[in-house]
């Protein structure tokens, strides 16, 4: 969001955040606090500018949200944050949401920064954790900006948030549903249906499942199925996939999750369970 409030979208969100944003559930906030209290280093990395990030987080996490994170990086310009060397994308300090012209030669303390690069962040994490190879678990919802670069260049563990799982039988936890009911006024119920629209995670009538593609090879009548590119990418570049952060927020921090692995069925790695289309394709039985 530019300081000039240019365009239509950003001024609209700023004027009425509640129309566009849904607050996080209390379980997610408690989950973040529990990790902080357990001595974990918490990072927030977004390609949004600092003023828009503050607007969003004020609304979804509350006014004290900055206390939850040790390092906040805005205008990160992912995927370049992970793929470019420090000389190409140095960290910059911010004053009143304006970037300092001079790039920092290194990152030597926690704080709020702009732009930046993975190698300098990794050096800071070594100092903060006291470990020569810090282990990072990174949550994101974009294959291009989050999963692929973080796993390929940063060698981080990656958790992909895949909303499409919700449209294929994977339910969110009760906390998420309760929060959604409280966050959305009754008059807004069914707003997608009232406007002749599907919910954002609903399967496409034209393209079908996000995970499995049904087709008829060689123009025949018999239908075959194969994994979509999106599904292949999730298995290759993600450690695991979840429909929402709420689905794991109530679990203990030492919970052992199933992981995607070339040596395991591709249905392994989805939590709390695989999408229906994958279960049908591989005839996997739920416990």
């Amino acid at each position: 969001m530019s300081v000039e409030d240019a365009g239509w979208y950003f001024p609209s969100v700023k004027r009425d955040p509640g129309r566009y944003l849904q607050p996080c559930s209390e379980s997610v906030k408690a989950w973040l606090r529990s990790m902080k209290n357990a001595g974990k280093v918490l990072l927030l990395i977004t390609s949004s500018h600092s003023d828009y990030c503050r607007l969003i987080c004020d609304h979804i996490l509350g006014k004290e949200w900055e206390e939850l994170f040790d390092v906040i990086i805005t205008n990160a310009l992912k995927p370049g944050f992970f793929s470019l060397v420090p000389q190409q994308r140095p960290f910059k300090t911010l004053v009143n949401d304006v970037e300092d012209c001079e790039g920092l030669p290194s990152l030597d303390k926690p704080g709020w920064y702009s732009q930046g690069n993975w190698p300098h962040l990794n050096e800071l994490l070594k100092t903060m954790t006291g470990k020569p190879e810090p282990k990072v678990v990174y949550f994101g919802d974009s294959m291009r900006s989050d999963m692929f670069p973080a796993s390929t260049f940063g060698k981080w563990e990656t958790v992909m948030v895949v909303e499409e799982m919700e449209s294929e039988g994977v339910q969110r936890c009760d906390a998420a549903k309760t929060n959604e009911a409280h966050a959305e006024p009754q008059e807004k119920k069914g707003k997608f249906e009232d406007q002749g629209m599907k919910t954002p995670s609903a399967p496409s009538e034209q393209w079908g499942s996000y995970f499995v593609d049904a087709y008829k090879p060689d123009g025949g009548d018999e239908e075959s199925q194969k994994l979509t590119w999106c599904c292949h990418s999730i298995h290759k570049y993600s450690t695991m996939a979840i429909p929402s952060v709420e689905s794991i927020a109530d679990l203990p921090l030492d919970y052992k999750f199933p992981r995607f692995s070339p040596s395991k069925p591709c249905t392994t790695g989805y939590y709390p369970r695989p999408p229906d289309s994958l279960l049908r394709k591989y005839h996997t039985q739920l416990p």
Side-chain angles (χ1 to χ4, degrees):
M1 181 171 62
S2 67
V3 293
E4 294 86 5
D5 279 347
W8 174 87
Y9 173 77
F10 290 121
S12 299
V13 176
K14 186 175 182 179
R15 193 164 48 246
D16 186 10
R19 183 179 180 184
Y20 305 94
L21 306 173
Q22 178 178 306
C24 282
S25 65
E26 289 302 318
S27 63
V28 169
K29 298 176 187 178
W31 178 65
L32 293 171
R33 286 192 293 268
S34 68
M35 286 191 287
K36 190 75 179 293
N37 293 337
K40 309 297 183 183
V41 175
L42 267 64
L43 314 172
L44 175 62
I45 307 174
T46 174
S47 291
S48 296
H49 286 275
S50 56
D51 52 350
Y52 186 57
C53 173
R54 186 179 294 106
L55 170 69
I56 296 295
C57 291
D58 279 352
H59 188 82
I60 67 174
L61 288 173
K63 297 296 183 179
E64 308 300 322
W65 67 272
E66 290 184 51
E67 298 179 0
L68 295 172
F69 299 97
D70 299 281
V71 181
I72 301 171
I73 302 169
T74 52
N75 195 25
L77 301 172
K78 299 176 289 183
F81 178 87
F82 295 100
S83 61
L84 299 181
V85 298
Q87 291 75 17
Q88 293 174 301
R89 190 69 61 73
F91 278 98
K92 295 186 177 182
T93 56
L94 288 165
V95 178
N96 297 325
D97 293 321
V98 177
E99 294 178 354
D100 191 341
C101 294
E102 296 294 326
L104 298 173
S106 63
L107 204 60
D108 56 7
K109 61 181 179 180
W112 189 323
Y113 299 95
S114 185
Q115 298 197 38
N117 58 86
W118 171 81
H120 278 175
L121 174 60
N122 194 50
E123 290 302 315
L124 174 63
L125 294 178
K126 290 180 181 180
T127 302
M128 295 180 68
T129 62
K131 297 180 179 179
E133 295 185 7
K135 292 184 178 180
V136 179
V137 179
Y138 179 70
F139 289 74
D141 61 2
S142 169
M143 183 56 63
R144 173 186 179 273
S145 300
D146 298 315
M147 300 297 102
F148 171 74
S151 63
T152 302
F153 299 102
K155 307 302 179 185
W156 288 354
E157 303 279 6
T158 52
V159 178
M160 188 167 185
V161 180
V162 186
E163 288 183 324
E164 287 80 2
M165 290 172 63
E166 294 179 14
S167 68
E168 296 210 16
V170 183
Q171 299 297 317
R172 287 191 289 172
C173 69
D174 292 339
K177 295 177 184 177
T178 301
N179 177 68
E180 188 174 70
H182 289 152
E184 190 172 29
Q186 187 64 37
E187 62 268 19
K188 291 187 178 181
K189 294 292 184 183
K191 59 183 177 180
F192 294 107
E193 292 82 356
D194 293 343
Q195 299 176 35
M197 300 166 59
K198 289 186 174 183
T199 56
S201 62
S204 167
E205 292 182 1
Q206 178 178 359
W207 301 109
S209 169
Y210 182 79
F211 305 93
V212 177
D213 180 35
Y215 69 104
K216 294 180 180 180
D218 302 322
D221 294 331
E222 187 174 346
E223 188 176 83
S224 296
Q225 293 185 334
K226 62 180 179 180
L227 300 184
T228 62
W229 175 87
C230 294
C231 193
H232 273 296
S233 298
I234 291 171
H235 303 162
K236 185 173 182 179
Y237 299 112
S238 305
T239 303
M240 57 178 289
I242 58 176
S244 66
V245 175
E246 281 94 346
S247 63
I248 66 171
D250 289 326
L251 298 173
L253 296 183
D254 59 354
Y255 185 88
K256 302 297 183 183
F257 291 95
R259 302 165 58 97
F260 292 120
S261 170
S263 62
K264 298 178 182 178
C266 74
T267 50
T268 305
Y270 291 96
Y271 184 89
R273 71 169 181 85
D276 284 344
S277 58
L278 287 178
L279 291 174
R280 288 193 297 267
K281 176 174 172 56
Y282 294 103
H283 307 289
T284 303
Q285 298 296 318
L286 290 174

